[in-house]
């Protein structure tokens, strides 16, 4: 029975070679006979020239936006965000490309549904939930793909995503349709200045602002209008799924002399309110900058500049690091918990086991000149040791020295000597982000905040 | 017979003289046109758009403000937009249009200042061109 299965796998591997070989030619490391072999829109980013192993890694998928391609991530450049992420320990980075359909709405089979399949595949191949980084409409593609369920997704990070639509596009659609405005709308002034500037600009690329004008007549232009039916019919984000919004906030000076005025069009394509409409992780991250009407597309917080903005890249990497697998080992901390004569309590180190447990080691030092005594009496409940995450979640230890040694009621410690105690926590992965360690030990109680395992 | 021919010849001469006079007059006019200098540069812009730009730089405050879109006007300080004596001269091929939107590049001259190259944006609304921005290049 086993031999037949091996043969089948061998044959399917040979049959898939053609596809796999083609995929490898495009920089993909698809394994023959796996779901990756069918993911033609997925390409692994090889950071620093070395591919990280798939199994056990945390995959990060980069999803581009409207009228764009995976090239926006500039994956081959060593300084690019995608390349930096690919170089993180325990992380594999991937780009998802739907460039041929990037003027279509996210419900297109090559966008949302295909992204959902890619997410499912990577989760299966790695055994980890996936992190999605979506630029512009890529964030809405992620919203579609997630489909109201947080299964297989660890976090979503959006950059300039028009959660509630694009006001610039909305105004652009209306003005080119000859709409008349009953109420004077200052945002129209910016949009019309931009449309006037773009008249005669023949090349619409991601590096000049006129690319947005090219989507006005596309179906997706209507879909991205403020609160369009298409946007409103996207599935709701799951309550439990962390979503971090990153947005640009431009202050654009238009005109000179007495014709000068200022506009605040968000990142030039997506307003600040739209790009930060659904943030569930702390505060949305906003990058601000100033610009003039000429060259505002080169401003560091313009819509297409955001993915390569160093501050944005650093924020994305910081968010991803919180999901990096914690490597087994001993991490030195040496932070004081309390100092009540003659005892000084210190959180000395955190030991991560191969099984993914974390043991926090507490040293009780007798700084007096005579022997002193400790007791486990009353401290046998391991929940006296807790970790509080930044989200407010409190995790109790599953074991402590005293819970393991409840009968030790008289522990003698000589002058200048120490007793090593500990608190054991079940999920070391949780310690990958800043936390507060609380040690409840009667009069020797104390806490250490801002603790985090080094990456 | 000879008398009639003479009359005929005289008539022909008169016609020829008249034609020559007309031709001379035409030649004189062409010469005058040549002496009047080259035609104004429009940059390829249509007359209505140029009219709007002339209003924008005209001496009358109301004309200046009526040359811009209401949305732009709502964002600008009250009063004159350009000093009296301002002019804008399009450069050759300075006009660009895409649907209802356009821009024109030219030379802006304001009294007391150096001439500068500037771009003016326009939108066509209900058959009238209105200014959307002006920016020096």
């Amino acid at each position: 029975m086993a031999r037949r299965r091996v043969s089948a796998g061998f044959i399917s591997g040979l049959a898939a070679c053609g596809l796999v070989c083609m995929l490898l030619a495009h920089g993909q490391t698809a394994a023959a006979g796996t779901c990756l072999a069918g993911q033609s829109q997925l390409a692994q980013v090889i950071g620093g020239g070395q591919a990280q192993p798939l199994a056990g890694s945390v995959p990060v998928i980069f999803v581009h936006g409207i009228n764009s391609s995976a090239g926006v991530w500039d994956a081959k450049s060593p300084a690019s965000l995608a390349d930096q992420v690919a170089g993180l320990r325990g992380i594999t980075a991937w780009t998802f490309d739907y460039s041929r359909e990037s003027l279509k709405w996210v419900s297109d089979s090559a966008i949302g549904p295909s992204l959902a399949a890619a997410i499912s595949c990577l989760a299966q191949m790695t055994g980890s939930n996936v992190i999605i980084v979506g630029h512009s409409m890529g964030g809405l593609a992620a919203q579609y793909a997630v489909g109201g369920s947080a299964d297989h997704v660890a976090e979503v990070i959006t950059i300039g995503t028009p959660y509630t639509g694009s006001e610039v596009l909305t105004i652009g659609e209306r003005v080119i349709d000859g709409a008349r405005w009953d109420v004077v709308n200052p945002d129209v002034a910016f949009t019309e200045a931009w449309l006037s500037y773009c008249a005669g600009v023949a090349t619409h690329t991601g590096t000049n602002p006129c690319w947005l004008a090219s989507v006005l007549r596309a179906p997706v232009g209507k879909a991205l209008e403020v609160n369009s039916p298409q946007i409103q019919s996207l599935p709701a984000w799951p309550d439990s799924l962390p979503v971090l919004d990153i947005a640009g906030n431009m202050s654009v000076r238009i005109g000179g002399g007495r014709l000068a005025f200022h506009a605040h069009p968000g990142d030039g394509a997506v307003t600040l309110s739209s790009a930060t409409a659904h943030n569930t992780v702390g505060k949305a991250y906003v990058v601000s900058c100033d610009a003039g009407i000429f060259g505002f597309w080169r401003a560091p917080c313009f819509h297409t500049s955001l993915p390569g903005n160093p501050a944005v890249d650093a924020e994305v990497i910081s968010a991803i690091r919180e999901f990096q697998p914690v490597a087994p080992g001993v991490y030195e901390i040496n932070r004081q918990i309390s100092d009540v004569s003659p005892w000084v309590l210190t959180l000395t180190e955190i030991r991560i086991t191969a099984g993914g447990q974390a043991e926090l080691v507490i040293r009780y030092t007798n700084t007096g000149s005579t022997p002193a005594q400790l007791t486990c009496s009353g401290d046998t409940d391991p929940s006296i040791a807790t970790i509080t995450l930044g989200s407010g979640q409190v995790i109790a230890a599953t074991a402590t020295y005293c819970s393991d040694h409840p009968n030790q009621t008289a522990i003698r410690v000589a002058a200048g000597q120490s007793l090593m105690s500990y608190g054991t926590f079940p999920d070391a992965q949780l310690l990958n982000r800043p936390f507060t360690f609380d040690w409840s030990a009667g009069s020797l109680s104390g806490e250490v905040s801002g603790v985090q395992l080094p990456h | 017979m000879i008398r009639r021919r003479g009359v005929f010849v005289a008539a022909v001469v008169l016609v020829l003289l008249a034609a020559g006079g007309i031709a001379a007059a035409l030649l004189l006019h062409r010469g005058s046109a040549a002496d009047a200098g080259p035609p104004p540069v429009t940059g390829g812009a249509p007359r209505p758009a140029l009219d709007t730009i002339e209003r924008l730089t005209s001496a009358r405050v109301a004309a200046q403000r009526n040359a811009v879109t209401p949305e732009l006007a709502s964002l600008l300080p009250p009063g004159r937009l350009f000093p009296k004596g301002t002019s804008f001269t399009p450069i050759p091929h300075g006009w660009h249009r895409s649907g209802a939107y356009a821009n024109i590049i030219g030379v802006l001259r304001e009294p007391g200042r150096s001439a500068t190259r500037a771009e003016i944006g326009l939108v066509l609304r209900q058959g009238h061109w209105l200014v959307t921005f002006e920016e020096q290049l």
Side-chain angles (χ1 to χ4, degrees):
Chain A
M1 189 70 122
R3 198 166 59 185
R4 219 177 296 147
R5 275 204 295 274
V6 167
S7 298
F10 180 67
I11 290 169
S12 66
L14 280 180
C17 177
L19 176 61
V20 169
C21 293
M22 182 188 76
L23 292 170
L24 284 172
H26 287 85
Q28 186 163 345
T29 58
T34 71
C35 63
L36 276 177
Q39 292 293 332
S40 60
Q41 293 171 272
L42 209 54
Q44 186 173 6
V45 180
I46 312 299
Q50 286 192 337
Q52 304 248 19
L54 279 182
S57 72
V58 173
V60 178
I61 303 181
F62 290 89
V63 186
H64 64 81
I66 189 175
N67 199 28
S68 184
S69 74
V72 74
W73 305 109
D74 199 17
K76 288 189 171 57
S77 167
S80 73
L81 171 61
D83 189 84
Q84 291 183 71
V85 169
L88 295 176
R89 177 185 51 79
I91 301 289
T92 52
W94 307 78
T95 57
F96 178 81
D97 192 291
Y98 63 93
S99 50
R100 281 187 290 184
E101 289 81 18
S102 65
L103 282 177
K104 297 180 183 174
W105 182 233
V106 298
S107 57
D108 186 272
S109 61
I111 308 178
S114 188
L115 177 59
I119 292 167
S120 180
C121 175
L122 282 176
Q124 176 193 331
M125 293 297 300
T126 61
S128 304
N129 283 349
V130 175
I131 298 172
I132 306 171
V133 180
H135 175 237
S136 189
M137 194 174 78
L140 299 183
Q143 184 174 355
Y144 184 100
V146 169
S149 168
D151 290 352
H152 307 313
V153 182
E155 184 175 49
V156 176
I157 301 167
T158 63
I159 305 172
T161 289
Y163 286 103
T164 59
S166 166
E167 185 164 329
V168 166
L169 269 182
T170 302
I171 293 173
E173 291 279 348
R174 302 263 171 88
V175 297
I176 64 174
D177 284 343
R180 299 182 66 171
W181 306 89
D182 294 325
V183 177
V184 171
N185 184 344
D187 291 339
V188 173
F190 169 78
T191 304
E192 294 206 302
W194 157 69
L195 287 170
S196 302
Y197 166 79
C198 288
V201 175
T203 301
H204 300 122
T205 69
T207 55
N208 79 48
C210 302
W211 64 269
L212 201 55
S214 68
V215 310
L216 284 176
R217 290 295 188 193
V220 71
K222 288 288 185 187
L224 283 172
E225 287 192 16
V226 172
N227 293 324
S228 70
Q230 293 90 333
I231 282 178
Q232 293 194 59
S233 66
L234 285 173
W237 289 98
D239 290 335
S240 62
L241 179 62
V243 180
L244 171 64
D245 294 345
I246 297 176
N249 185 25
M250 299 172 66
S251 177
V252 184
R253 181 198 53 78
I254 300 169
R258 291 179 66 81
L259 270 83
F261 69 98
H262 279 83
H264 298 88
D267 66 16
V270 182
T271 60
L272 191 58
S273 60
S274 183
T276 58
H278 184 79
N279 185 83
T280 63
V281 180
K283 286 176 63 174
Y285 187 76
V286 179
V287 182
S288 299
C289 63
D290 296 327
I293 183 67
F294 292 139
F296 73 84
W297 59 94
R298 287 189 289 267
C301 65
F302 178 65
H303 188 70
T304 52
S305 302
L306 290 174
N309 180 304
V312 169
D313 291 356
E315 184 69 14
V316 171
I317 289 171
S318 175
I320 291 171
R321 279 188 183 281
E322 293 193 0
F323 293 90
Q324 267 186 293
V326 177
V330 179
Y331 298 87
E332 196 173 298
I333 306 296
N334 285 326
R335 296 273 304 276
Q336 183 172 299
I337 298 171
S338 66
D339 182 356
V340 179
S341 182
W343 300 104
V344 172
L345 271 61
T346 306
L347 174 62
T348 59
E349 61 191 28
I350 298 176
R351 299 172 184 164
I352 307 298
T353 68
Q357 279 191 319
E359 183 177 88
L360 277 65
V361 179
I362 300 98
R363 182 176 61 218
Y364 284 69
T365 303
N366 178 6
T367 62
S369 56
T370 58
Q373 196 161 281
L374 294 166
T375 177
C376 279
S377 172
D379 287 343
T380 56
D381 178 3
S383 66
I384 62 167
T386 61
I387 285 171
T388 304
L389 303 178
S391 62
Q393 183 184 4
V394 179
I395 300 132
T398 53
T400 60
Y401 177 87
C402 282
S403 70
D404 289 342
H405 305 86
N407 295 324
Q408 296 224 348
T409 56
I411 307 165
R412 192 177 173 83
V413 180
Q417 299 300 306
S418 299
L419 168 76
M420 305 306 285
S421 181
Y422 57 82
T424 302
F425 295 84
D427 186 358
Q429 192 63 38
L430 292 171
L431 307 188
N432 209 10
R433 58 202 76 177
F435 63 90
T436 297
F437 174 62
D438 201 295
W439 183 251
S440 180
S443 61
L444 303 178
S445 298
E447 70 173 36
V448 181
S449 60
V451 186
Q452 185 177 4
L453 289 176
H455 296 287
Chain B
M1 197 67 150
I2 294 171
R3 216 179 304 158
R4 254 184 247 142
R5 201 187 298 163
V7 168
F8 174 74
V9 168
V12 168
V13 168
L14 277 172
V15 167
L16 285 174
L17 281 173
I22 292 169
L26 284 173
L27 282 169
L28 279 170
H29 275 293
R30 254 187 233 163
S32 299
D35 293 340
V41 176
T42 65
R47 187 68 247 168
L50 294 172
D51 288 343
T52 296
I53 293 172
E54 284 175 12
R55 284 197 299 277
L56 180 70
T57 56
S58 73
R60 291 173 49 239
V61 174
Q64 289 189 355
R65 297 198 73 90
N66 285 336
V68 305
T69 64
E71 292 78 16
L72 176 56
S74 73
L75 297 172
L76 303 179
R80 179 174 294 283
L81 300 177
F82 286 104
K84 284 184 186 177
T86 299
S87 68
F88 180 85
T89 307
I91 63 171
H93 312 297
W95 171 255
H96 309 95
R97 178 177 177 178
S98 179
Y101 291 88
N103 59 69
I104 185 161
I105 299 172
V107 178
L108 181 72
R109 292 182 176 84
E110 294 179 78
R113 290 186 168 187
S114 306
T116 56
R117 212 160 146 109
E119 179 169 333
I120 296 177
L122 301 118
V123 60
L124 184 64
R125 287 193 191 174
Q126 286 90 49
H128 298 285
W129 288 100
L130 295 172
V131 172
T132 58
F133 77 90
E134 176 275 329
E135 184 89 20
Q136 292 183 15
L137 296 173

